[in-house]
Amino acid sequence: MFSSCTPGFEIDVSTNKSFSKSLDEAVIPSRPFFNTLLRIMATRCMQQAVYFSSGSKTQEEFYHYGLACPIYTHFTSPIRRYADVIVHRLLAACVGCDVTHATLLDTKEAAAICDNLNYRHRQAQYAGRASVALNTHILFKNRVEIEKAVVLAVKRNALQVLIPKYGLEGPLYLPSDKFLYNGEEHLQSCGDVVLRTFDELTVRLSLDSTNLQHRKLVFQLVEPYVPDFSYVPENKDSMDVDEESKEKINVEGFKDSNKRKEEVVVKKSKKKSKKK
């Protein structure tokens, strides 16, 4: 049994069914992204599902925890995944509908194919993440954003934060001379400011391009405010004053131009009356 302290929910992990039910009930109406965040954290703790040959594992290892299935295999369209093609060929051979190659019936050969499938799957994931990182760097080139963030984890020297708007995740580093790390309660504190998992923050996002081969996103704390550490945006009050002064100047300039136009019209009308 695991209790998430801050939101006040209890997550029961005794069985996959109770775990799923606990996740469904962990909802905060005022924070619609909270449940998604909790599911992200929960699935990261799970072992990744892999392809394997049934002859190379024991019956107890067949169980799929996430799907709550004692035996699970792919059986979708065979044009989508090579794993599906292998399953179709083996099933066809088992029921006598087709004759497959002898190597597919060999346990060692089947295990080797599964290992290669798992390897290719991981490489595809890495390629996908690299593509996301590249497009993120292009998006934030010469661009700075201030967005809402959520704390995923509290570490000794940083907070792992997630930006729901962009789906971006990264470390927000905290100086040890200002913040005190509590490993038992998993929190960082600086005076009256206490930061925990699931807390909502405001952060500044920018791209660090000092190393062109290893560009990275930089997260800076904006709120809650920590003196001599938090990023301070431009003063909105002064900006409002500037806008008001601009409006006054525009209005006064408009009035002056109207007065000049009126004076010109009056002068012209006087000249016309003199000629008559």
Side-chain angles (χ1 to χ4, degrees):
M1 180 79 71
F2 168 75
S3 175
S4 52
C5 303
T6 305
F9 292 105
E10 289 186 352
I11 306 300
D12 186 359
V13 296
S14 56
T15 64
N16 52 355
K17 184 177 180 180
S18 60
F19 183 41
S20 178
K21 183 180 178 181
S22 299
L23 290 177
D24 292 337
E25 294 174 350
V27 177
I28 301 178
S30 59
R31 296 178 60 182
F33 188 75
F34 171 78
N35 189 263
T36 303
L37 175 66
L38 197 60
R39 290 178 184 277
I40 291 173
M41 298 175 68
T43 52
R44 286 186 179 180
C45 299
M46 297 180 186
Q47 191 175 20
Q48 188 176 19
V50 295
Y51 297 109
F52 66 95
S53 174
S54 59
S56 62
K57 303 289 181 181
T58 61
Q59 186 72 30
E60 290 76 15
E61 294 178 278
F62 289 7
Y63 192 81
H64 194 295
Y65 183 87
L67 297 177
C69 293
I71 299 177
Y72 170 78
T73 187
H74 282 302
F75 197 79
T76 57
S77 172
I79 64 172
R80 295 179 185 172
R81 284 178 292 224
Y82 186 65
D84 299 331
V85 176
I86 299 299
V87 170
H88 278 240
R89 289 175 179 173
L90 290 173
L91 287 175
C94 289
V95 297
C97 293
D98 196 5
V99 178
T100 188
H101 198 273
T103 55
L104 283 180
L105 303 178
D106 183 80
T107 302
K108 291 184 178 180
E109 290 292 334
I113 292 175
C114 291
D115 291 339
N116 188 46
L117 287 171
N118 295 326
Y119 171 76
R120 296 299 177 185
H121 177 64
R122 287 193 298 270
Q123 295 304 308
Q125 286 184 321
Y126 296 152
R129 293 169 187 170
S131 176
V132 170
L134 174 62
N135 284 278
T136 300
H137 295 168
I138 294 173
L139 175 64
F140 283 92
K141 184 180 180 181
N142 301 323
R143 179 177 178 179
V144 175
E145 294 283 344
I146 294 179
E147 295 292 343
K148 295 293 183 181
V150 185
V151 179
L152 279 175
V154 179
K155 300 180 180 181
R156 185 174 297 276
N157 65 335
L159 300 175
Q160 192 72 9
V161 298
L162 176 69
I163 313 297
K165 181 178 178 179
Y166 296 109
L168 299 175
E169 182 183 335
L172 193 162
Y173 293 104
L174 304 175
S176 58
D177 59 337
K178 286 187 174 295
F179 284 85
L180 179 63
Y181 174 67
N182 187 328
E184 294 183 358
E185 299 184 11
H186 299 284
L187 60 84
Q188 289 275 5
S189 60
C190 178
D192 296 333
V193 176
V194 180
L195 303 174
R196 299 182 177 89
T197 307
F198 301 116
D199 282 355
E200 292 181 323
L201 314 173
T202 302
V203 299
R204 178 181 184 265
L205 280 171
S206 60
L207 184 65
D208 181 8
S209 300
T210 52
N211 188 334
L212 296 179
Q213 292 185 342
H214 300 281
R215 295 178 179 178
K216 59 182 180 179
L217 279 178
V218 176
F219 298 79
Q220 292 177 277
L221 182 66
V222 177
E223 292 179 359
Y225 176 73
V226 177
D228 300 324
F229 174 71
S230 294
Y231 174 79
V232 180
E234 295 180 3
N235 195 338
K236 294 182 179 179
D237 295 334
S238 63
M239 291 174 65
D240 294 339
V241 171
D242 292 340
E243 291 296 329
E244 290 177 1
S245 61
K246 287 180 182 179
E247 290 178 0
K248 289 180 180 179
I249 292 171
N250 291 334
V251 170
E252 290 175 357
F254 180 73
K255 289 180 180 178
D256 292 340
S257 62
N258 284 340
K259 286 182 179 179
R260 290 173 185 173
K261 288 179 181 179
E262 290 175 359
E263 290 175 357
V264 171
V265 172
V266 171
K267 289 179 180 179
K268 287 183 178 179
S269 60
K270 286 182 179 179
K271 288 181 180 179
K272 288 181 180 179
S273 61
K274 287 180 180 180
K275 288 181 181 180
K276 291 179 180 179

